[in-house]
Amino acid sequence: MSQFVALTDVGHRKSTNEDAVLTQSLDDCHLLVVADGMGGHAAGDVASESAVNTILDVVLDQIDNEIAYEQLLVGAVESANKRIQQKAEENPEQTDMGTTVVAAIVEDNKASIVNVGDSRAYDIGDSFEQITVDQSLVQELVEAGELTEEEAKDHPQSNILSQAVGTTD
């Protein structure tokens, strides 16, 4: 039997929690979503809530269409991206809002996972293993061999994302 835990934390750099989470049991699987609104940008909480709600809506609407879970999640995140951009266009005070997302559909002991930004999925079994790769400046520097994993942990630019939902097409 699978167990799911959703946990958010305001972190060290933000004064408010702009996270949104979802754990939803479906017929034969579970949908799990964590979205972390971008601090320092307008309406990160609006972006994260919109992402979670859009992903849920798309999954509920299309899950019975015999579409692969990976494709379903990618399409759901793309829809969330468009919805957040549309909200920002309609509300100038929300310009540049965005969020990171990690989402999974879990069936039996198999998970299909998508992530954008630096929200992460972990496998917590016999060990604690990060199974997604951050889309961030620091991760790009690690992959280029310019930083070690150890140096990346406390890097002053660790919050700079190379991808986020709602910020670009």
Side-chain angles (χ1 to χ4, degrees):
M1 182 173 103
S2 297
Q3 295 180 350
F4 304 99
V5 176
L7 175 68
T8 70
D9 185 84
V10 71
H12 301 291
R13 295 188 174 115
K14 297 179 185 177
S15 59
T16 58
N17 191 340
E18 297 181 337
D19 299 343
V21 298
L22 170 80
T23 59
Q24 179 77 41
S25 293
L26 305 171
D27 287 338
D28 297 326
C29 60
H30 301 277
L31 173 64
L32 311 170
V33 184
V34 176
D36 182 1
M38 292 169 38
H41 292 261
D45 56 335
V46 174
S48 63
E49 189 69 28
S50 181
V52 167
N53 290 335
T54 302
I55 291 168
L56 175 62
D57 290 347
V58 170
V59 169
L60 289 174
D61 185 56
Q62 296 182 13
I63 196 148
D64 293 329
N65 293 346
E66 295 187 26
I67 185 171
Y69 290 156
E70 294 87 357
Q71 290 177 293
L72 178 56
L73 287 171
V74 168
V77 171
E78 288 172 345
S79 294
N81 190 60
K82 289 176 187 169
R83 185 172 289 172
I84 292 167
Q85 287 177 322
Q86 182 180 29
K87 283 184 176 221
E89 287 174 12
E90 294 168 357
N91 301 291
E93 70 279 2
Q94 297 175 346
T95 299
D96 296 328
M97 72 174 163
T99 185
T100 65
V101 169
V102 61
I105 296 177
V106 180
E107 184 175 35
D108 299 322
N109 288 324
K110 183 178 178 183
S112 298
I113 301 170
V114 63
N115 78 301
V116 179
D118 61 358
S119 288
R120 299 174 175 172
Y122 292 88
D123 181 8
I124 304 172
D126 294 334
S127 63
F128 191 79
E129 180 184 358
Q130 181 179 336
I131 56 177
T132 55
V133 177
D134 291 352
Q135 294 170 329
S136 67
L137 171 65
V138 169
Q139 181 62 38
E140 289 174 3
L141 294 172
V142 169
E143 290 172 4
E146 296 178 33
L147 284 178
T148 66
E149 292 282 344
E150 194 61 35
E151 291 170 328
K153 287 181 183 177
D154 295 316
H155 196 277
Q157 294 178 314
S158 63
N159 62 328
I160 298 175
L161 301 174
S162 56
Q163 295 285 324
V165 177
T167 59
T168 62
D169 291 337

